[in-house]
Amino acid sequence: MSGVGIIGWIVIGILAGWVAEKVMKRNHGLLTNLAVGVVGALLGGFVAGLLGISFGGWIGSFVIATLGAIILLFLLGLLKRR
């Protein structure tokens, strides 16, 4: 999420975590949504980089962060079942 800034990371992280929470039918609090969104953004950015997908700006960062957060919640759900 280059060029977004720390406030942008926080806003995008909260929104991405919230959207991922709704998609995965989970119920977390604001801080958990932030953590899931920011870690999801890192995960999504890593996966997008491996696939050669480039993104930019708020919308691209939000989409990648949300997809990463969904992947993160999915993986955590798999670990939780074991």
Side-chain angles (χ1 to χ4, degrees):
M1 291 194 303
S2 62
V4 177
I6 190 73
I7 301 298
W9 271 69
I10 292 170
V11 171
I12 290 172
I14 290 171
L15 291 174
W18 180 78
V19 170
E21 170 188 75
K22 297 305 176 193
V23 168
M24 298 300 290
K25 295 180 175 67
R26 307 275 174 92
N27 190 16
H28 303 123
L30 181 66
L31 290 178
T32 304
N33 285 344
L34 173 61
V36 167
V38 170
V39 173
L42 295 172
L43 177 65
F46 176 74
V47 171
L50 288 176
L51 297 174
I53 299 170
S54 63
F55 58 93
W58 283 82
I59 294 173
S61 296
F62 175 72
V63 169
I64 294 297
T66 301
L67 292 175
I70 290 170
I71 292 169
L72 177 65
L73 288 177
F74 176 76
L75 293 174
L76 289 175
L78 289 177
L79 290 175
K80 206 176 203 183
R81 289 183 191 160
R82 293 182 179 207

